[in-house]
Amino acid sequence: MKSYLDLLRTRGVARIMSAQLLARFPNGMLSLAYLIHIEHIAHSYGAAGLVLAATSIGQAVAGPLTSRWMGAWGMRKVLILTISVCTVTIGTIALAPALPVPIYMVLGLISGLSTPPVQPAVRTIYPKMVNSTQLTPLFSLDASAQEVIWVAGPVITTFVATQISTVVAILVALVFLVGGGLWFVLSPEVGRVRIPRSRRALGAVLAKPPVLLATVTGFLLIGACSAIEAGVVSAFGEKSAESGIVLAIFSLGSLAGGLLLGHVPIGPWALARRIFIVFAGMALAAASVNVWWLAATLLIAGVGIAPALAVMFGIVSSSVRFSETAEAYGWVGTGQLIGAALGSAGAGFMIDRFAAPGAFWVAASLAFLGFVIPTIFRKAAPDLRGRDASPIPDTEPVQTQPS
């Protein structure tokens, strides 16, 4: 723990990590808030699902695109533009009188397209804030800390939406977006780092084996996690205390795993080993829907999640030029978003046919593939044991400027 405290004492690290977590907090709130809000208006979960699908498509398209724009226009300009557009569209969804579902779908698509690229931005900034030996632990700490989003976000949204109103629930998420986004944009570190303009075509970074490996594996890992969430809710009901407790333990397992394994050196087998922990826990979870069994097995599964994400961040960072880092992380994020959508959809289909255990079968299958792929293609993952995980320097000098 001392090393993590030392990291947080490093100039600007605690501030930039807190700001980006606050700015990204709506990621754990808006999907659920949209779901409840649109269902109340249209009286149809199918209609709400269409709006969520449109939002997810927008986010998936925006990931690599807006990340790349940061190299052309600068981080602050892109962040301010996306925050502004996203604020208007989310506010419209919350405050406009009842609209036809296709209009809500268009608004959802625009809000997804304008999702601020905070995560790619901060992943790009981190290597410029700490020395090479601190970078992997910092990625691990960040991956662990983001579990707060997925633990507290849905709880806040459910409480506000059911006890006050769905409009207020969306507006609370909007306050986090604007407040955290402005805090992040105004942080000195965002002004000091300039991403060089990438000279390669959009998507060319996917030709890098580590980036493609992280994108595909992230798709499978997050898809498995989404299927687990759907299965837990199906097993106990969306308003039951058991659902919240089990999912909180799942996230706390990830938090603990990230902190415990953050300093383990990243070798070619690191990603496969961490995802095997996830697979083992999810496979065991499929055996019973007893609340204590699920709590124990998903605690095991959670231990591998944040460490696996940290490995993905590390192998991507060490394998691309600094000018390509934001776009690379954008593609990784897009893979995770698609995985989340398809994992939830696949779980829903299996729940209709086989009840809650069907979702756990989907999750275990995706996690198994997530283990097999980095095992087969382990040579695509760089060996970072005793090696700097920072991005490859560009041939042109990277400028810094006063904030």
Side-chain angles (χ1 to χ4, degrees):
M1 292 301 293
K2 182 179 182 299
S3 60
Y4 292 122
L5 292 175
D6 290 339
L7 263 177
L8 293 174
R9 292 190 189 104
T10 302
R11 181 183 178 188
V13 168
R15 175 176 57 241
I16 202 75
M17 183 177 289
S18 300
Q20 63 95 14
L21 283 174
L22 196 64
R24 291 169 52 212
F25 213 83
N27 293 351
M29 302 177 70
L30 279 175
S31 293
L32 185 56
Y34 283 175
L35 179 71
I36 300 172
H37 183 67
I38 302 301
E39 192 279 331
H40 281 185
I41 291 173
H43 306 291
S44 167
Y45 279 105
L50 290 174
V51 176
L52 290 180
T55 304
S56 297
I57 290 170
Q59 290 173 327
V61 172
L65 190 61
T66 55
S67 299
R68 189 178 175 88
W69 287 351
M70 291 193 291
W73 302 343
M75 278 191 278
R76 278 183 168 157
K77 289 181 181 178
V78 174
L79 289 166
I80 290 172
L81 172 64
T82 51
I83 289 170
S84 300
V85 175
C86 202
T87 298
V88 171
T89 52
I90 291 173
T92 302
I93 291 173
L95 299 173
L99 300 170
V101 171
I103 300 299
Y104 281 119
M105 291 175 64
V106 172
L107 290 170
L109 178 66
I110 295 172
S111 72
L113 287 168
S114 59
T115 300
V118 174
Q119 186 173 27
V122 77
R123 298 276 185 269
T124 303
I125 291 170
Y126 280 157
K128 301 300 177 183
M129 297 183 65
V130 298
N131 61 49
S132 59
T133 61
Q134 293 177 305
L135 186 55
T136 298
L138 179 56
F139 281 143
S140 184
L141 179 62
D142 183 84
S144 301
Q146 74 178 4
E147 290 301 327
V148 175
I149 296 171
W150 309 111
V151 174
V155 173
I156 294 172
T157 298
T158 302
F159 176 80
V160 174
T162 57
Q163 302 302 316
I164 305 176
S165 79
T166 58
V167 171
V168 175
I170 296 175
L171 293 179
V172 169
L174 190 57
V175 169
F176 280 111
L177 173 70
V178 175
L182 290 178
W183 186 15
F184 183 75
V185 168
L186 297 175
S187 296
E189 294 75 19
V190 176
R192 291 192 188 111
V193 177
R194 184 185 69 84
I195 305 173
R197 182 189 295 266
S198 177
R199 299 180 180 180
R200 306 179 71 196
L202 177 67
V205 72
L206 284 172
K208 300 275 188 179
V211 177
L212 186 58
L213 177 63
T215 301
V216 173
T217 307
F219 161 84
L220 294 167
L221 175 64
I222 301 304
C225 293
S226 295
I228 284 290
E229 291 170 0
V232 170
V233 171
S234 172
F236 304 113
E238 62 184 29
K239 294 184 179 180
S240 71
E242 287 89 348
S243 294
I245 291 170
V246 171
L247 291 177
I249 290 173
F250 185 42
S251 293
L252 290 173
S254 178
L255 173 62
L259 297 177
L260 290 172
L261 301 178
H263 291 283
V264 176
I266 296 176
W269 285 95
L271 188 54
R273 287 171 177 165
R274 285 157 172 78
I275 295 184
F276 182 79
I277 298 173
V278 181
F279 161 68
M282 290 182 176
L284 290 170
S288 171
V289 294
N290 174 272
V291 62
W292 297 111
W293 176 258
L294 287 179
T297 54
L298 293 184
L299 178 66
I300 295 170
V303 167
I305 296 172
L309 291 172
V311 172
M312 293 178 208
F313 300 151
I315 65 174
V316 168
S317 174
S318 64
S319 304
V320 299
R321 295 187 181 278
F322 183 67
S323 59
E324 299 171 325
T325 51
E327 183 188 341
Y329 287 126
W331 283 111
V332 173
T334 289
Q336 293 175 2
L337 285 167
I338 296 173
L342 294 183
S344 296
F349 175 78
M350 292 295 284
I351 288 168
D352 287 342
R353 296 195 55 158
F354 303 104
F360 299 131
W361 300 339
V362 171
S365 299
L366 291 172
F368 180 70
L369 288 175
F371 159 69
V372 169
I373 287 177
T375 298
I376 296 174
F377 298 102
R378 61 187 179 277
K379 292 184 178 179
D383 189 344
L384 299 181
R385 291 172 293 187
R387 180 184 153 192
D388 188 354
S390 299
I392 303 167
D394 286 88
T395 52
E396 61 177 290
V398 177
Q399 299 178 7
T400 59
Q401 53 193 25
S403 58

